[in-house]
Amino acid sequence: MARLHLHLLSDSTGETLEMLAKAALAQFDDSEVVRHFWPMVRSRNHLDRVLEEFKANPGLVLHTVVNESIRERLEERCRTLGLPHVAALDAVTLALEERLGQEAHGRPGRQHVMDQAYFDRVDAIQFTIAHDDGVGWENWEEADIVLAGVSRTSKTPTSIYLANRGFKVANIPLVVESPPPPSLYKLGSPMVVGLTTAPERLVQIRRNRLLSLNETTESAYVDDERVRKEVAFARRMYADNGWPVIDVTRRSIEETAAAVIRLYQEREKRDIPPRVGPKPI
């Protein structure tokens, strides 16, 4: 099995670099990668301490250093040590400079400036947490997106992921014996999206959930026939109300959220107001 020391160095929080590395490493199997994370490296003294670790554990260096003097020192020492080094954002930055006709600002942490978008994202997260699992239906109209689905169709994690992208999201569990509040069918602004999944997969997820809680797995909650009826009930509701549907059976949370965002953006482009007041089932 291949073994690699991967050094991730940034003069900011390093979040972007971590995500890039994670996405790239997902393409490789049968390899052992030891990640070394070095955020907030903004002085030569700090860099020199990190370089000693490079010498002790030589490997590949990925960095997002924008400070010119720190970057020059880093790349010079990597060459001396014979370490391959990659500036992870260079290709994207250069392409943007060419298309925008201006030079990028070499300011560490610039992407984390607390501008209006930052505060909007905080508001979205607060709204989403306060409107989880059917709570706060009285002001769903303030949401950007409402996710509906039977239990364990990833409504909450998808909502939180979308909130981190700046969307105000409410979600509601669909239960055969407990109809949703009538306001769900009268929403004028939010986009309602139905989440569904294969009944067999849903039973498996629910059984695992019960096992993690040390509860019995012999209940209606995981009964095959009942689960199929739940899924069918939800699908009828989606169809009757003209809501778009996303099958989450083989999707990760990130993939489901991306599909929701595409639907939202397509609706924004069409600029067609959502349906108002369809007949509840």
Side-chain angles (χ1 to χ4, degrees):
M1 180 181 292
R3 191 169 191 268
L4 170 71
H5 286 280
L6 179 62
H7 295 276
L8 307 176
L9 188 147
S10 173
D11 51 13
S12 184
T13 63
E15 293 176 13
T16 301
L17 189 57
E18 277 198 300
M19 287 189 291
L20 286 172
K22 181 179 179 181
L25 288 171
Q27 308 303 315
F28 299 91
D29 299 320
D30 300 324
S31 59
E32 180 185 356
V33 178
V34 181
R35 278 184 272 188
H36 306 268
F37 185 46
W38 312 104
M40 306 302 291
V41 180
R42 295 184 175 181
S43 70
R44 289 174 65 93
N45 287 338
H46 191 175
L47 177 61
D48 287 342
R49 292 196 299 271
V50 173
L51 287 167
E52 290 301 314
E53 297 292 334
F54 287 9
K55 289 171 62 177
N57 298 287
L60 173 62
V61 178
L62 299 184
H63 74 84
T64 52
V65 177
V66 296
N67 180 278
E68 188 173 346
S69 64
I70 299 297
R71 174 167 171 159
E72 287 179 357
R73 171 69 171 168
L74 168 64
E75 295 181 342
E76 174 193 344
R77 294 293 293 138
C78 282
R79 286 191 292 269
T80 301
L81 295 170
L83 300 179
H85 53 281
V86 178
L89 296 180
D90 268 17
V92 176
T93 303
L94 288 172
L96 288 171
E97 286 182 336
E98 290 179 2
R99 302 302 297 175
L100 297 175
Q102 57 178 289
E103 290 188 4
H105 296 285
R107 189 183 306 169
R110 183 177 175 86
Q111 72 271 34
H112 299 293
V113 173
M114 289 191 291
D115 55 11
Q116 187 57 48
Y118 170 84
F119 291 107
D120 289 344
R121 188 164 64 253
V122 171
D123 286 343
I125 293 171
Q126 292 176 338
F127 180 93
T128 300
I129 292 174
H131 294 82
D132 182 39
D133 205 31
V135 175
W137 59 266
E138 300 89 348
N139 49 15
W140 278 352
E141 193 63 45
E142 299 174 21
D144 299 308
I145 298 164
V146 174
L147 299 181
V150 300
S151 174
R152 314 313 296 178
T153 48
S154 305
K155 296 184 299 298
T156 294
T158 302
S159 296
I160 297 299
Y161 188 94
L162 288 167
N164 276 279
R165 296 289 301 273
F167 296 94
K168 292 183 177 180
V169 186
N171 76 75
I172 179 172
L174 300 180
V175 182
V176 177
E177 298 83 4
S178 179
S183 62
L184 176 64
Y185 308 104
K186 301 175 183 178
L187 296 175
S189 179
M191 178 182 71
V192 182
V193 178
L195 303 183
T196 189
T197 189
E200 301 80 11
R201 175 62 174 159
L202 187 56
V203 169
Q204 180 184 357
I205 291 172
R206 288 183 176 184
R207 284 187 180 277
N208 291 339
R209 174 61 174 169
L210 291 177
L211 285 172
S212 71
L213 297 174
N214 294 319
E215 295 183 9
T216 178
T217 56
E218 300 304 320
S219 68
Y221 186 63
V222 292
D223 178 75
D224 290 344
E225 183 61 29
R226 178 183 171 82
V227 170
R228 279 194 290 271
K229 289 181 179 179
E230 281 187 65
V231 173
F233 165 79
R235 281 188 170 276
R236 285 198 306 274
M237 182 182 294
Y238 305 153
D240 289 348
N241 290 278
W243 298 332
V245 180
I246 296 175
D247 190 330
V248 304
T249 305
R250 299 186 181 277
R251 282 189 165 100
S252 65
I253 300 303
E254 295 85 353
E255 290 170 329
T256 300
V260 173
I261 292 172
R262 281 196 298 273
L263 289 171
Y264 186 86
Q265 292 173 337
E266 288 170 3
R267 194 189 77 160
E268 292 292 293
K269 288 179 182 178
R270 292 195 304 267
D271 198 27
I272 300 175
R275 295 174 58 183
V276 178
K279 182 180 179 182
I281 64 173

